[in-house]
């Protein structure tokens, strides 16, 4: 399995994991501002008064996954999340989490970014 397909499968696992925890998936692979330096948010989910922006990483270890999210990407992800909030005129709570897929488990880090 190549890295692209592996990434898509990891995002599929993460979406189902969120559904099991009561979230409704609003968007997957949300992109804003093509060619403007903005990022792609892997998953946007909602539960009650909370919008969740999720970055999914598949790596051998949790440390490797965190090291795969550079500061420049974090800045672009935040900008993309702000764009989504503005477009939807969202007035509830929002949070940016990371879901890490390792070989044998799923680790959900809330408020990671």
């Amino acid at each position: 399995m190549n890295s692209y397909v592996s990434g898509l499968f990891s995002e599929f696992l993460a979406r189902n994991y969120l559904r099991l925890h009561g979230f409704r998936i609003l968007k997957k692979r949300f992109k804003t501002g093509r060619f403007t330096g903005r990022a792609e948010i892997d998953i946007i989910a909602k539960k009650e008064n909370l919008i969740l922006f999720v970055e999914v990483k598949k790596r051998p270890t949790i440390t490797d996954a965190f090291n795969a999210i550079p500061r420049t990407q974090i800045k672009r992800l935040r900008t993309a999340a702000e764009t989504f909030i503005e477009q939807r005129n969202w007035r509830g709570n929002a949070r940016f989490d990371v879901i890490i897929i390792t070989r044998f488990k799923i680790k959900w880090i809330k408020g990671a970014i």
Side-chain angles (χ1 to χ4, degrees):
M1 181 180 321
N2 66 34
S3 61
Y4 177 75
V5 173
S6 177
L8 290 178
F9 184 68
S10 297
E11 290 175 17
F12 170 78
L13 290 175
R15 286 192 307 272
N16 286 318
Y17 189 76
L18 289 169
R19 285 183 185 111
L20 288 172
H21 286 87
F23 283 86
R24 183 170 56 98
I25 306 303
L26 300 177
K27 293 277 184 188
K28 59 182 182 176
R29 310 189 93 208
F30 175 75
K31 299 175 192 171
T32 60
R34 188 173 178 186
F35 305 117
T36 63
R38 296 212 177 147
E40 174 185 288
I41 299 173
D42 294 330
I43 302 169
I44 301 174
K46 181 179 184 275
K47 182 178 180 181
E48 298 170 4
N49 196 35
L50 174 66
I51 290 270
L52 198 63
F53 300 97
V54 182
E55 176 68 11
V56 179
K57 289 293 180 189
K58 181 181 186 303
R59 296 290 188 277
T61 68
I62 293 170
T63 303
D64 289 343
F66 269 112
N67 290 337
I69 309 172
R71 291 182 192 267
T72 54
Q73 183 182 9
I74 291 170
K75 185 178 178 184
R76 288 192 313 268
L77 290 169
R78 286 183 179 158
T79 302
E82 289 168 0
T83 299
F84 182 88
I85 288 169
E86 288 175 16
Q87 287 176 349
R88 305 303 188 283
N89 200 25
W90 177 252
R91 297 291 179 229
N93 296 319
R95 188 176 73 209
F96 222 118
D97 295 354
V98 174
I99 293 181
I100 298 170
I101 311 290
T102 63
R103 187 170 178 187
F104 296 110
K105 66 179 167 178
I106 297 174
K107 179 73 173 171
W108 182 6
I109 298 126
K110 299 175 182 176
I113 296 179

